[in-house]
Amino acid sequence: MSAAVAHGARRRAWPARALDLHVGLVLAFLALPTLAVVPMSFNAAEFLIFPPPGYSTRWYAAFFERREWWGSAITSLVVAVLATAIATVLGTAAALAIARGRVPLRGAVAALLLTPMMVPAIVTAVALYRVFAAWGIAGTIPGLVAAHVVMALPFVLVNVSAVLNRMDWTVLRAARSLGASPLYAFRRITLPMIRPGVLAGALFAFLTSFDEVVVSLFMTGIGAMTLPVQMWTGIRFEINPIVAAVSTMLILVTASTFTAFALLRRTP
Amino acid sequence: MTAIAASTARAPLLGEGTRVGLLVVPAVLFLAVAFVHPVATLIGISVHDKGGWTIEHYVRLWEVPAYLKVLQRTLLMGAGTALICLVLGYPLAYRLAHAGPRARALILAGILIPFWTNLLVRAYGWLVLLNPKGMLNGALVGAGLVEDPLPLVQNTLGVFIGMTQIMLPYMVLPIAAVMTRIDPALMRAAYGLGAGPVTAFRRVYLPMTLPGVMAGTLLVFTISLGFFVIPALLGGTRDIMLAQLVELNINQTLNWGFAAALATLLLATTLTLYAAAQRWFRVGALWGDLA
C-alpha cells in the first residue's frame, strides 16, 4: 500500500500530518464520552459539577448497597446468559443448515433470519410488547430472554456463516469416507473448525442482550428490571451519579472483554 | 457419500442434505412466533381499528402539521448525521485502509472499543461533558473564555454530537473495506502519467471508493431514522424524532393505532432502504466486519 501513500507522503509532508491530526481528533471524539465518565464516577457531589468539589467512592458503595441497582445487574446477567445460550444454539444450527443442508427458498430464509438486525429497535419493542403482554410474559424473565434471542440471533448467524463460508469441506468428506458417523464428524471436525465464529457470535449475542435498552424499556414496567433500564431511569429523570459508577464498571468490562477476544483470536 | 449410505445396515429415512437442512427449523419457528407474528400484529393494528379496516391513522399523519414536522426532522437528522459522518469518516477510513499492521490495530481498537461500549454510558458521558455545569463549560467559564455556559446539549447540536459518535463506525468500515481493495499501482500510474496529487485523487482514487461511500451513507442514514435513546437523552423537547413519537403515543396518549402506523412507516422505510442498498453492500458482511 504504502507504496502509493509513502510516495505521496514524501512529496507532500504536511497533508500526511494534517491527516494524522484529523485521525487523532476523530478518535479522541470517539473516546471522549467514555473517558469523561470515569473521573465523574469519583465525584463527591450530588450533581454533575465540574471541577468536582471532592473525590470519593460513595457512588460505587451506593451501587452495591441499593438493591434496585445490583439486583438489576443480576437480572441483566441472567437474561443475557440465557439469551446467549439459546441464540447461539439456534443461530449455529441455522447457519449450518443454510451453508450445508438442503433448505427450500434458501435466500428468503436467510433474509428472514437477518431481518431482526435491520428492524429499528423501537418497532421490535412496540410489536413484542403488545403480543408478549397479551401472552402474559411482557414483564418476566422468559419474555425478556425471548425478545433478546430475537435480536441476538442474526449476530450469531452472521459470525458462524462467515467461518462456514471459508471452511475447507474436504476434511469433513475425508472423515466421513473413513467411516466417521455424521455426529462424530461434527463433534471432531466441524465444531473445532467453526469454534471462532461460534465464540464471536456468542460474544455479540451477549453484548446485544446485556446492553439492550429500548425493548427492555417497554417490557419492564413493574416486573424484572434490567441494568440498562435502571440506568435510563437514572439518567433521564434524576441524573443520578450512581450511573457514572456503573458506567465505569461497564467500560472496564467492555475493554477487557474486547482485549481478551482480540488475543483469543490471534492465537490459532 | 452414496457408497457409505448403501453400506450402512439401515438406510436413513431422509438424505443427509435434508437432515442438515432441518437444522434451520428451530430458528425459523422461533422467529415466526416471537418476531414475525408480533410485527404482523402491529401492522394489522395500524390498518384495522374499531372492528373495521381503516387508513385514518395514516391520513392523520399527513394532515396534522406537527406530525409532518417530526417526519421532516427525522429525515433531516438522518441526512445531517450521514453527512457529518462522511466528512469525518472518509479521511479516517483512508488512514485505516492504508496503515501498517500496528497503526491499523490501534485505529481499529480506537473505533471498535467505543462502538461496543454501552449506548447509555456514551449518552451519559456526553451529558457529563456538555451540560451547562459540565466539564467543557466548567473549563471554558473557569478560564474566562466565555461568560455564560454554552448550550451544547439538550438541543439539536447535542443530538448530532451523540448520533455522530455512534454512527461513525458504520461509515468508516464499509469505506475502508473498499479502499483496501484498491490496487496501489493505479495511483502510481496516475502520478507517472503526470497527474498531481489532487487530480490523481479526484479522477482515480475517489471514483473507486464511491461504492463504499454509498454503502456507508445509506447505512448511517437508514439506522439514524430509528434513533430513540440519543434524541431522548441529548435532545431538547423540540428535537422529537419519529421513534419518540411512537413511544409517546403508547405510553402517554395510549393511541395504539397511530403508534402502529408510525412504526409501520418507519419499518417500511428502513427495509426499503436496506433493499435498495443491496447493490452496494451485504448487510451480513458489514456486521462481520465489526467483529
Side-chain angles (χ1 to χ4, degrees), chain A residues 1 3 11 20 22 26 30 33 36 48 50 90 93 97 101-102 118 126 128 130 149 155 158 176 204 211 228 254, chain B residues 4 16-17 20 23 30 45 88 95 98 116 118 120 125 133 135 165 168 188 197 250 256 270 274 284 287 291:
Chain A
M1 181 33 332
R11 287 204 341 194
D20 280 348
H22 175 92
V26 173
L30 285 177
L48 299 177
F50 192 84
L90 289 182
R102 280 225 332 251
M118 296 179 258
V126 174
L128 266 55
R130 173 90 180 194
V149 171
F155 289 93
V158 164
R176 296 281 278 121
F204 284 15
D211 287 346
T254 308
Chain B
I4 301 167
E16 190 170 326
V20 174
L23 287 171
F30 176 80
I45 295 168
L88 294 181
R95 190 71 182 83
H98 303 308
W116 285 112
N118 187 307
L120 292 166
K133 289 180 177 166
M135 287 186 179
Q165 200 263 354
L168 206 52
R188 279 202 299 275
I250 285 168
W256 267 94
T270 305
Y274 270 117
W287 267 271

Side-chain angles (χ1 to χ4, degrees), chain B residues 25 34 58 78 172 275 286 289:
Chain B
V25 171
Y58 292 93
V172 173
L286 173 82
D289 280 351

Side-chain angles (χ1 to χ4, degrees), chain B residues 143-169:
Chain B
L145 288 171
V146 294
E147 259 173 48
D148 297 312
L150 300 171
L152 300 169
V153 81
Q154 317 277 271
N155 54 26
T156 312
L157 176 66
V159 183
F160 270 130
I161 291 175
M163 287 177 67
T164 301
Q165 200 263 354
I166 287 163
M167 293 313 302
L168 206 52

Side-chain angles (χ1 to χ4, degrees), chain A residues 1-5 7-8 11-12 16 19-20 22-23 26-27 29-37 39-40 48-51 86 90-91 93-98 100-103 109 112-124 126-132 135 145-147 149-150 153 155 158-159 162 165 173 176-179 182 200 203-204 207-208 210-214 217-218 227-229 231-232 234-236 239-248 250-251 254-255 258-259 261 265-266, chain B residues 1 4 16-28 30-42 45 87-92 94-99 105-114 116-129 131 133-136 138-139 160-162 164-166 168-169 179 182 184 187-188 191 195-197 222 226 228-230 232-233 242-244 246-247 250-251 256 259-260 263-264 266-267 270-271 274 278 282-285 287-288 290-291:
Chain A
M1 181 33 332
S2 28
V5 174
H7 182 51
R11 287 204 341 194
R12 44 202 174 99
L19 178 65
D20 280 348
H22 175 92
V23 168
V26 173
L27 290 181
F29 169 74
L30 285 177
L32 211 53
T34 317
L35 295 178
V37 164
M40 201 44 74
L48 299 177
I49 299 172
F50 192 84
I86 299 171
L90 289 182
L96 274 168
I98 288 171
R100 291 293 286 164
R102 280 225 332 251
V103 177
V109 169
L112 165 75
L113 294 175
L114 287 178
T115 305
M117 193 151 83
M118 296 179 258
V119 172
I122 188 80
V123 177
T124 309
V126 174
L128 266 55
Y129 171 58
R130 173 90 180 194
V131 169
F132 284 18
W135 292 342
V145 171
V149 171
V150 167
L153 214 148
F155 289 93
V158 164
N159 280 285
N165 292 337
R173 272 204 294 278
R176 296 281 278 121
S177 69
L178 290 171
L203 178 77
F204 284 15
L207 286 174
T208 302
F210 194 74
D211 287 346
E212 205 289 318
V213 59
V214 181
L217 204 56
F218 278 82
L227 188 59
V229 176
M231 290 171 70
W232 164 270
I235 298 171
R236 194 168 200 198
I239 311 231
N240 190 328
I242 294 181
V243 178
V246 177
S247 297
T248 305
L250 287 181
I251 291 165
T254 308
F258 190 92
T259 314
F261 185 66
R265 260 225 294 218
R266 194 173 301 169
Chain B
M1 210 74 89
I4 301 167
E16 190 170 326
T18 309
R19 277 183 291 145
V20 174
L22 283 176
L23 287 171
V24 83
V25 171
V28 169
F30 176 80
L31 281 190
V33 173
F35 179 68
V36 177
H37 167 63
V39 171
T41 307
L42 187 73
I45 295 168
V87 171
L88 294 181
Y90 194 91
L92 181 57
Y94 180 87
R95 190 71 182 83
L96 174 67
H98 303 308
L106 229 101
I107 297 172
L108 259 185
I111 295 171
L112 292 181
I113 293 178
W116 285 112
T117 302
N118 187 307
L119 184 71
L120 292 166
V121 171
R122 297 192 267 168
Y124 185 78
W126 285 124
L127 281 173
V128 164
L129 270 164
N131 85 82
K133 289 180 177 166
M135 287 186 179
L136 203 63
F160 270 130
I161 291 175
T164 301
Q165 200 263 354
I166 287 163
L168 206 52
M179 287 173 167
I182 291 178
M187 286 302 276
R188 279 202 299 275
Y191 288 129
T222 308
F228 172 75
V229 170
I230 291 301
L233 294 180
L242 189 54
Q244 292 164 277
V246 175
E247 192 257 358
I250 285 168
N251 287 338
W256 267 94
T264 304
L266 180 59
L267 176 68
T270 305
L271 292 184
Y274 270 117
Q278 281 296 318
R282 289 187 311 110
V283 176
W287 267 271
L290 292 177

